[in-house]
């Protein structure tokens, strides 16, 4: 059922009912009573009118549901009840919902449609932001996935304490999403600015997915299918000695790769026909869900991060695509590492970059700091990381994604302290010396294997497997 069907005939249906599997809703916590902490005149009568007009007891409904067949705890907002505003009763219900998800080891899914905190309850409503934040922290510590859907509208304290704090955030196209509500913005602010809408939040990397309600439902299904603690427990457990998505090529193939000199290897890594990261991902993973953005206003279209299913095991993945990686890309990769650690998922990184982006704007955005933080995240990660140099592997922009002690290389890959042309410039050598310097850099798979820098040569499976579509499908929602 799509949102158009849900609202056919003028009967509005809350978005969370569209997102959940039909017939699966089992509410709990509705017995929670409202108070009047600020002694607001006439508040009891307002609550009674809200119940009559909305058909709900509170601005949120908490329930056990299934999404794509996976059990979840739902926090659904009723916008018809005082604009979906959050008061003390709703805060208590949200806390109980998070506690239930921890006890039952199932994901939390919040489907929001809210104007923020409730004015009639004053500061008591405001402090619910702290209460919600504590609940989010509790599921993070417990390794419970938390996904949030931003419906129309999602504003104020509900956006800033609940939805924006989720592990992944999905937005319904056209929804108003902002911290400032329409009546609290500066004079002269353009109310039609994309920055107040889902499209702007997606553009700047604050939403992982943007689409219709039906699109969001399908991709949310992929997320809970991949990362539900119960589903992960039923699958084969990964251990560091397992091959996972990477297996060494034969010795004969390895000898064949060693026939190139350094410059030939560099040219092979740059050729358009080589196996690129998209094919690696399609070969390694079926169902996928991709995260997007560094949650600091940046998106790097040249790096892909997400979760995928391989051999019954959910992996995290980070894949460069042959472009210079920006600070936003490295911060997004660090975000992925953090999520994978929280959920206990091993990680595959695919290295393919001519180096880190190096313009003035990149320095201003803190690219050196972003690389440093990723290096630390990879070096200290508590889950196994496997890395493959699939194309160019140049300088710190490449090694930031490299797993110490578990680095592999593809037949057409190379790994070097600098590109041969830049090395020649650094050493004050001319263009005629570039090929010689490429050989002196010892950057070929054979050189790197012999020196113990990489474990061996590996290739993706011979035939790629496209990810399934529809509910539980790729989860990429990529508008690039």
């Amino acid at each position: 059922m799509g949102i158009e069907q849900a609202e056919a005939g003028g009967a509005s249906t809350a978005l969370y009912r569209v997102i959940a599997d039909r017939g699966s809703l089992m509410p709990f916590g509705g017995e929670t009573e409202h108070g009047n902490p600020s002694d607001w005149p006439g508040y009891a009568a307002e609550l009674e009118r809200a119940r009559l007009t909305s058909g709900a007891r509170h601005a949120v409904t908490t329930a056990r549901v299934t999404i794509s067949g996976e059990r979840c705890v739902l926090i659904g907002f009723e916008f018809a009840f005082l604009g979906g505003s959050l008061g003390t009763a709703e805060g208590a219900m949200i806390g109980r919902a998070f506690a239930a998800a921890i006890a039952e080891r199932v994901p939390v899914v919040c489907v929001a449609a809210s104007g923020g905190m409730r004015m009639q309850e004053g500061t008591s409503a405001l402090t619910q932001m702290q209460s919600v934040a504590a609940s989010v922290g509790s599921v993070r510590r417990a390794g419970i996935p938390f996904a949030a859907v931003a419906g129309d509208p999602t504003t104020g304290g509900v956006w800033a304490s609940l939805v924006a704090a989720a592990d992944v955030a999905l937005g319904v196209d056209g929804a108003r999403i902002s911290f400032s509500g329409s009546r609290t913005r500066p004079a002269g602010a353009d109310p039609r600015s994309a920055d107040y809408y889902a499209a702007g939040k997606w553009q700047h990397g604050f939403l992982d997915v943007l689409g219709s309600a039906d699109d969001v439902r399908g991709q949310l299904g992929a997320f809970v299918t991949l990362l539900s603690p119960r589903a992960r427990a039923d699958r084969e457990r990964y251990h560091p000695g397992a091959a996972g998505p990477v297996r060494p090529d034969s010795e004969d193939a390895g000898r064949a790769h060693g026939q190139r000199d350094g410059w030939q290897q560099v040219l092979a890594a740059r050729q358009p026909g080589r196996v690129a990261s998209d094919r690696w991902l399609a070969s390694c993973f079926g169902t996928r869900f991709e995260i997007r953005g560094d949650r600091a206003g940046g998106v790097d279209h040249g790096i892909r991060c997400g979760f995928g299913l391989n051999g019954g095991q959910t992996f995290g993945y980070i894949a460069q695509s042959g472009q210079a990686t920006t600070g936003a890309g490295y911060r997004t990769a660090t975000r992925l590492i953090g999520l994978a650690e929280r959920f206990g998922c091993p990680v595959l990184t695919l290295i393919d970059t001519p180096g880190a982006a190096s313009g003035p704007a990149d320095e201003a955005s803190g690219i050196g700091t972003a690389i440093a933080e990723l290096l630390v995240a990879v070096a200290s990660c508590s889950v196994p990381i496997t890395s493959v140099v699939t194309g160019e592997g140049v300088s710190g922009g490449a090694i930031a994604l490299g797993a110490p002690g578990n680095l592999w290389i593809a037949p057409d890959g190379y790994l070097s302290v600098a590109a041969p042309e830049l090395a020649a410039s650094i050493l004050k050598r001319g263009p005629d010396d570039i090929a010689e310097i490429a050989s002196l850099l010892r950057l070929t798979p054979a050189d790197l294997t012999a020196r113990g820098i990489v474990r061996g040569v590996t290739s993706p499976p011979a035939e790629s497997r496209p990810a399934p579509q529809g509910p539980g499908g790729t989860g990429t929602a990529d508008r690039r």
Side-chain angles (χ1 to χ4, degrees):
M1 180 176 64
I3 208 163
E4 294 81 10
Q5 294 169 292
E7 296 184 351
S12 178
T13 297
L15 179 61
Y16 70 85
R17 295 183 181 273
V18 178
I19 298 296
D21 292 345
R22 186 180 297 182
S24 70
L25 196 74
M26 298 177 61
F28 66 89
E31 69 280 1
T32 305
E33 294 292 339
H34 288 100
N36 189 359
S38 295
D39 293 324
W40 189 274
Y43 184 39
E46 287 187 65
L47 290 171
E48 187 57 33
R49 285 194 297 272
R51 293 188 188 103
L52 292 174
T53 57
S54 68
R57 282 187 51 80
H58 303 88
V60 302
T61 293
T62 52
R64 294 174 177 87
V65 300
T66 62
I67 296 174
S68 292
E70 293 290 343
R71 289 175 50 191
C72 302
V73 167
L74 176 81
I75 301 165
F77 277 73
E78 309 274 2
F79 188 72
F81 191 105
L82 296 179
S85 57
L86 209 65
T88 54
E90 287 80 9
M93 292 173 67
I94 289 171
R96 181 175 173 182
F98 276 99
I102 293 171
E104 298 168 26
R105 305 295 297 169
V106 297
V108 180
V109 174
C110 170
V111 183
S114 172
M117 317 315 284
R118 189 167 299 162
M119 296 298 103
Q120 295 90 331
E121 294 195 20
T123 310
S124 296
L126 177 65
T127 61
Q128 298 311 301
M129 293 179 69
Q130 296 172 312
S131 175
V132 166
S135 294
V136 173
S138 69
V139 293
R140 289 185 180 183
R141 290 189 297 272
I144 299 298
F146 172 32
V149 177
D152 184 38
T154 298
T155 60
V158 170
W159 165 249
S161 67
L162 183 60
V163 179
D167 297 319
V168 298
L170 305 88
V172 177
D173 208 355
R176 292 162 289 177
I177 304 174
S178 61
F179 179 59
S180 61
S182 60
R183 299 178 185 178
T184 62
R185 295 167 188 160
D190 181 3
R192 298 179 300 275
S193 170
D195 292 327
Y196 293 129
Y197 285 82
K201 292 293 185 287
W202 182 85
Q203 184 68 31
H204 294 296
F206 297 111
L207 294 176
D208 297 291
V209 170
L210 176 66
S212 69
D214 288 334
D215 293 335
V216 166
R217 178 177 58 187
Q219 301 199 31
L220 184 61
F223 176 78
V224 297
T225 297
L226 287 164
L227 292 169
S228 167
R230 287 178 173 270
R232 296 200 313 268
D234 290 340
R235 299 181 189 134
E236 179 184 354
R237 297 299 298 168
Y238 181 87
H239 58 88
V246 173
R247 293 172 175 80
D249 287 355
S250 68
E251 290 186 10
D252 289 341
R255 282 192 289 270
H257 302 147
Q259 294 174 1
R260 293 174 178 152
D261 64 27
W263 185 237
Q264 289 172 332
Q265 190 69 35
V266 171
L267 295 178
R270 294 173 178 174
Q271 65 182 347
R274 64 179 172 77
V275 179
S277 58
D278 282 352
R279 180 178 158 191
W280 275 84
L281 292 176
S283 299
C284 291
F285 302 115
T287 300
R288 299 201 304 274
F289 180 93
E290 291 201 355
I291 69 169
R292 185 178 194 275
D294 64 1
R295 291 299 186 265
V299 176
D300 185 337
H301 300 294
I303 195 165
R304 303 184 72 169
C305 301
F307 294 93
L309 196 61
N310 176 282
Q313 169 70 46
T314 298
F315 282 77
Y317 63 80
I318 304 166
Q320 292 172 316
S321 59
Q323 301 176 36
T325 303
T326 67
Y330 293 115
R331 285 187 287 268
T332 305
T334 301
R335 179 186 164 209
L336 187 281
I337 294 288
L339 291 173
E341 276 200 290
R342 191 180 306 160
F343 304 140
C345 299
V347 177
L348 173 68
T349 69
L350 303 177
I351 298 168
D352 184 9
T353 180
S358 56
D362 300 297
E363 293 297 333
S365 72
I367 192 162
T369 303
I371 291 172
E373 290 298 327
L374 180 56
L375 280 163
V376 173
V378 171
S380 59
C381 188
S382 61
V383 296
I385 301 179
T386 302
S387 302
V388 182
V389 181
T390 63
E392 291 195 87
V394 177
S395 193
I399 204 65
L401 272 70
N406 200 19
L407 179 62
W408 300 76
I409 193 164
D412 292 332
Y414 79 90
L415 182 64
S416 177
V417 65
E421 299 93 330
L422 294 180
S425 175
I426 292 167
L427 296 171
K428 300 180 180 179
R429 303 277 290 273
D432 293 341
D433 299 320
I434 290 174
E436 177 190 0
I437 288 173
S439 295
L440 292 172
L441 288 171
R442 303 289 186 262
L443 50 73
T444 69
D447 290 326
L448 296 166
T449 303
R451 295 157 64 195
I453 294 172
V454 302
R455 292 182 60 181
V457 180
T458 185
S459 300
E463 296 182 3
S464 62
R465 296 180 291 112
Q469 300 298 313
T474 65
T476 56
D478 197 343
R479 291 187 171 191
R480 288 178 278 184

